[in-house]
Amino acid sequence: MLYNLAHFLRAHCSWIWTIFELVNAWLFVLRYAHKLPVVIAGNIVPLTVERIEALAQFFKRQPEDAFIYFRPHAVDVKTLHSLVRNKAFLAYLVIDDNGEIIGYFFLRCFFWGKCYRGYMTDYAHRRQGINRLMGIEATKIARHLHLRMFGSIAPNNVASMKSAQAVNDIRIIKVLRNGDYLVEYLPKS
């Protein structure tokens, strides 16, 4: 229910969503600041203001089909700036040896102990274990913060389901209106 309400507010009452985001970020910092930052793999860096333009370029060079399943937020510079300012939105970049962004993942966190993850791998670096790496790191961050981690996976997005299952046990909670599965990512048993 909260998932549907959040999407409704974001789409139809953006000013309410903005207020909610501010309050959530403030409460998230109060509850979790003592556990941040989280130590992550060496080739993964947090998204900062200085890296926003590079991330925007990363999104621009992706083919249209990369956005079929990736729709958690807009990818323009203005939106990326607002996400960086949101202390409950933990975003990270996977950087190659040349300093190029080859992956992006985030945890949209909520002060009540849940988070939603999303990720995208550069089209030229697919099938190289980057999704798996991002899944491992997202799981590590969520476990460190003691957050339950959720997401959505389209039933026909076999690659996403397989990469998620390589790192986590997946519990399908329900089918969303758009046909995607709302899933909980659980630590491997």
Side-chain angles (χ1 to χ4, degrees):
M1 182 178 138
L2 285 176
Y3 185 88
N4 290 333
L5 178 61
H7 280 271
F8 176 82
L9 290 176
R10 199 166 64 178
H12 302 291
C13 304
S14 61
W15 65 274
I16 293 174
W17 179 252
T18 301
I19 292 169
F20 168 78
E21 287 272 70
L22 291 170
V23 171
N24 177 63
W26 181 73
L27 292 171
F28 179 80
V29 168
L30 282 178
R31 183 171 182 189
Y32 293 99
H34 68 286
K35 292 186 174 196
L36 294 171
V38 180
V39 177
I40 50 178
N43 59 333
I44 296 178
V45 297
L47 176 60
T48 61
V49 171
E50 296 78 22
R51 296 182 179 115
I52 287 174
E53 190 57 47
L55 181 58
Q57 291 304 314
F58 165 84
F59 286 128
K60 283 182 184 175
R61 73 176 182 255
Q62 303 312 308
E64 279 187 43
D65 71 345
F67 296 95
I68 292 171
Y69 302 116
F70 183 84
R71 301 176 303 272
H73 59 74
V75 296
D76 59 280
V77 171
K78 181 180 176 185
T79 299
L80 296 175
H81 271 284
S82 71
L83 294 175
V84 166
R85 287 190 305 269
N86 181 346
K87 300 302 181 196
F89 190 89
L90 308 178
Y92 301 91
L93 309 172
V94 181
I95 308 294
D96 70 7
D97 294 336
N98 299 320
E100 291 292 317
I101 297 172
I102 58 173
Y104 163 74
F105 73 97
F106 67 87
L107 296 172
R108 182 181 292 272
C109 303
F110 298 93
F111 72 90
W112 55 81
K114 291 183 179 182
C115 67
Y116 290 84
R117 90 174 189 193
Y119 58 89
M120 178 185 275
T121 297
D122 180 71
Y123 73 96
H125 294 85
R126 292 178 182 163
R127 294 176 187 76
Q128 295 179 13
I130 295 166
N131 282 358
R132 187 175 193 284
L133 172 66
M134 292 187 292
I136 289 168
E137 293 303 315
T139 301
K140 184 167 61 171
I141 293 165
R143 289 189 77 186
H144 175 78
L145 296 173
H146 301 287
L147 298 171
R148 291 177 64 198
M149 187 167 49
F150 298 87
S152 62
I153 301 176
N156 56 348
N157 190 351
V158 177
S160 182
M161 183 63 85
K162 284 186 178 186
S163 72
Q165 289 173 327
V167 175
N168 301 99
D169 287 334
I170 305 296
R171 182 170 72 97
I172 297 174
I173 297 170
K174 69 178 184 176
V175 177
L176 300 170
R177 273 190 224 151
N178 67 358
D180 289 357
Y181 297 134
L182 176 62
V183 302
E184 182 172 7
Y185 299 101
L186 303 164
K188 277 280 194 194
S189 47

